[in-house]
Amino acid sequence: MRHKGHAILARVVALFAFAALASPAAAQQCDRACLTALLTQYVDALVAHDPSRLPLAPSVRFTEDSKDLKLGEGLWKTVTARGGFRQDYLDTTRQTAVAHVQLWEDKTQALYSVLLHVKDSKIAGIETLVQRVTTDGRFQPTELGAPIKGMNTPILAGRKMSRAEMIKVALGYPEGLRIGNFTDGGTKFAPETYRVENGVITAGAGCGRADCGMYAQHIMLHPSIIANVAAVDEENGVVVLWMNFGYTDSYGPGNALVTFEAFKIWGGQIHSILAFFKPLPLATSRNWTSSDEVPRKE
């Protein structure tokens, strides 16, 4: 009887071991530290002009400014150094790692948005947006020497929101732009909301304007704005939207602003905003699937 009992126990142990081996996806799920490390590996490889340094899934896809390229092309050929700024957004639910990164091409700043699609702890897709700022550019980044105010502030107990709730609040931003009024659009801003666009303060303390409040500023109509969800950092309370601002006749002939824009959200309000954007043709689409469903406007 004792031998029989030992045999049954051995079979149970073996079954548990087999089940563990039979679930590689769960075992290889990338946590926050893993996603952060992949972003670091990516930036290191980019600056070194060496994609072979990356843990790549088979048939990895790479886009720059919404165009499919071979990995190693585009900014990979021209980048010369990293800058001092990087802001990460980590979506462990959808296995995506996003960052706004300051890079250099000699004396030209490259404001770089990168999103890594991760599968089994390997990089399966890479989408990027590159905005170049030359030394004679009209707007020179002034706020990329330190973390963006409020973006990394720990969320107070009881103020954290669900993924769906954060997305709903974030989508209030393009809705306000669509109708040209954040108040009528129901966009939820905290009184201290701080916004940095391409390294320049455009709302909140220090914006240098008479109308630094989000509700006080005049905004133009963006009737054809398109938005979808790039990532949701549920732990840090940030939603990253990809947006094409659509036709406004203000970003150059035939162009619209395209952006990866991050919204720090807690307690039902947007508290901090960081965007890197560039003018691209009006017809530019993201060409990647939204991580979460976005309700269609009639």
Side-chain angles (χ1 to χ4, degrees), residues 87-141:
Q87 177 69 53
D88 295 353
Y89 319 100
L90 310 172
D91 187 339
T92 55
T93 299
R94 296 289 189 266
Q95 291 288 278
T96 52
V98 188
H100 285 120
V101 186
Q102 180 192 42
L103 299 168
W104 291 88
E105 293 173 310
D106 294 322
K107 295 182 179 180
T108 296
Q109 291 191 62
L111 307 184
Y112 194 60
S113 305
V114 56
L115 189 152
L116 305 180
H117 299 264
V118 179
K119 183 177 181 180
D120 296 336
S121 298
K122 293 185 178 180
I123 299 172
I126 306 162
E127 53 180 313
T128 64
L129 182 72
V130 187
Q131 166 63 6
R132 292 172 171 88
V133 182
T134 59
T135 54
D136 59 352
R138 181 182 175 188
F139 297 106
Q140 293 295 314

Side-chain angles (χ1 to χ4, degrees), residues 263-277:
F263 300 87
K264 175 80 170 192
I265 298 170
W266 52 270
Q269 298 176 315
I270 298 170
H271 294 259
S272 185
I273 303 169
L274 173 60
F276 284 178
F277 50 60

Side-chain angles (χ1 to χ4, degrees), residues 149-207:
K149 186 185 300 180
M151 195 59 71
N152 294 323
T153 301
I155 301 174
L156 298 175
R159 306 304 301 278
K160 188 176 289 189
M161 303 170 65
S162 71
R163 185 183 185 96
E165 290 169 337
M166 284 194 293
I167 291 171
K168 183 177 180 180
V169 172
L171 290 173
Y173 190 87
E175 175 59 15
L177 293 177
R178 187 181 72 86
I179 66 175
N181 190 306
F182 283 132
T183 302
D184 292 345
T187 316
K188 305 297 184 183
F189 294 116
E192 79 284 0
T193 296
Y194 184 79
R195 183 179 63 194
V196 173
E197 297 175 312
N198 282 2
V200 178
I201 306 172
T202 57
C207 87

Side-chain angles (χ1 to χ4, degrees), residues 182-258:
F182 283 132
T183 302
D184 292 345
T187 316
K188 305 297 184 183
F189 294 116
E192 79 284 0
T193 296
Y194 184 79
R195 183 179 63 194
V196 173
E197 297 175 312
N198 282 2
V200 178
I201 306 172
T202 57
C207 87
R209 297 168 44 166
D211 55 349
C212 285
M214 293 298 300
Y215 294 119
Q217 294 182 355
H218 170 74
I219 55 174
M220 68 181 76
L221 282 167
H222 294 73
S224 55
I225 191 169
I226 298 170
N228 63 41
V229 184
V232 182
D233 188 331
E234 297 173 62
E235 178 65 27
N236 198 35
V238 177
V239 175
V240 181
L241 298 181
W242 178 93
M243 291 184 283
N244 177 326
F245 282 32
Y247 178 76
T248 60
D249 197 26
S250 57
Y251 304 122
N255 283 341
L257 274 190
V258 175

